[in-house]
Amino acid sequence: MLTQRQLRWAEPLGHATIDQRVQHEQLSREACSTSTIDERSRPPRSAILPVQYVPKEPVEKDPKTIPDRSTVTIDPSFDWGTWEGWGTSLAWWAKAFGNRDDLADAFFSLSWQNLNGQKLPGLGFNIARYNAGACSGNSIGALTMVKGPHMSAAKQIDGFWIDWMSTDPASTSWDWSVDGNQRAMLLKSQQRGADIFELFSNSPMWWMCLNSNPAGADDGRDGNLQPWNLRQHAVYLSSIAKHARDNWDIAFQSVEPFNEPDGDWWSGVAKDQEGCRISPDLQGPVIDYLRDELNARGLPSTLVAASDANTYDTALAIWQALAFTRHTQNIGRVNVHGYQGQDGRRNVLSDVVRKAGKPIWNSEYGDGDATGRQLVSNLILDFRWLHPTAWIYWQVVDIAGWGLIEGDISAGTLTHASQKYFLLAMFTRHIRPGMRILDSGRDNVVAAYDAGRRKLIIVAVNWGEAQYVNFELSRFKQASVDEKRVLRWRTQIGDGGDRYADYWEDTFMRGTKFWSWFDRDTVQTFEVDDVVL
């Protein structure tokens, strides 16, 4: 049973009033009466008061003198899948910065980089999502693309199939010279070790849209893909996949034909980006057509991913609708976005998809919190309940708050990396492709195991009062070696404090456990060698 102190350690902290803090304390006492943490029963984040930074205490202090310390027991019997990796979507930031080697190094390598005088640990992404554009400036007879009043030029991605006259990619109906910067970053990612690529669509080509506007229908509640062009959308995407294999030396692992097709916000008169609402009754045929068209182009192993819903709950509803009409058989992987944040039935979606034998990705996550608090909390909740095999940040370069590196894609300027950049590095540099994801039993701890190197990775966050935390490894066949050094890294959430600081001389195995001092709002990563499952 978790103590009240342990529960506070495991809970993320939001903004609240004093009255809300009283409410939280009451909820916490009630929650402590149960032996496990259920995501749906946890107190609302709005009921938790933020706390201030507390100076770090010396690690050498004997934790036996600290009463009621928390113990986390890592369970090696659970296997939540083999980790495929971390990544980002290239639109729109790569359109602006696709020629920047320093950004490619920062995102797609593990090397340390210097950006505007700031030293950055490379994030080591190995996944790049390439956006198939929907825009072009040509006319088809009297028909031209409709550009809404708010459409941003920085968010318009040029498409390759510029008119419907021919499906032959070698004909003048196709222009393979466009979108050079995004393609350049795609190739730079590959050169630095990225090995998983996904092709995705925000909108069909503008001339496949009912109103010729790739930002959406005039009323966002309406669909915008012409029913007679369902197969043509599949032809477009499968043709890009084949061209990329034959001409760019890029083999897309998967093709995703939709992006938040559930959204009623895709209004061509209001949005500044490409988007298209597509109902499940049209998604199903597109999925089937895409499978057929990929097969016809010699790409039978390329997965069809779907449906990149905005939330976990909507993803579940779409999956159930597609399953009812027997379209899920052609889905090779389920993609979902993480914009439901702390809410949503991650566990239910995971259970349903895993039962169907499909992997799941969080294929797009982003938030406007530069402190990294939301990112850390939601990422760990995904590991704990959604069990994805990959996790993708949306815009790694974006406005303050949203970007890992803050910049202006319209002006083509960069400033600096935010705190969330360093917090994400605590995960991406250590939980690497091929590792097995284990279970910690906690909403604030992630564990992964590298069988080849016999190495255990633990990433943990302390949301509550400063304290020592024990990590118990007694369930492993070999819990490392007594007195073995445990490497650790530390990053503070919020402004100030450590940024991916390493502490390699102060933490050691003691029998089957080790411990470390955690300040409030601190993330620590540990690497433990000589561990055997």
Side-chain angles (χ1 to χ4, degrees), residues 253-264:
Q253 183 196 81
S254 54
V255 179
E256 165 61 89
F258 317 115
N259 178 67
E260 298 182 358
D262 50 302
D264 59 5

Side-chain angles (χ1 to χ4, degrees), residues 411-425:
T413 57
L414 299 172
T415 55
H416 63 276
S418 67
Q419 196 75 3
K420 69 199 302 181
Y421 180 102
F422 298 92
L423 287 161
L424 186 56

Side-chain angles (χ1 to χ4, degrees), residues 30 65 88 111 127 160 164 175 189 266 392 407 459 524 526:
E30 295 171 356
T65 66
T88 182
S111 303
I127 300 174
F160 300 110
W164 61 71
D175 183 357
S189 74
W266 299 123
I392 317 296
V459 186
Q524 293 200 81
F526 305 93

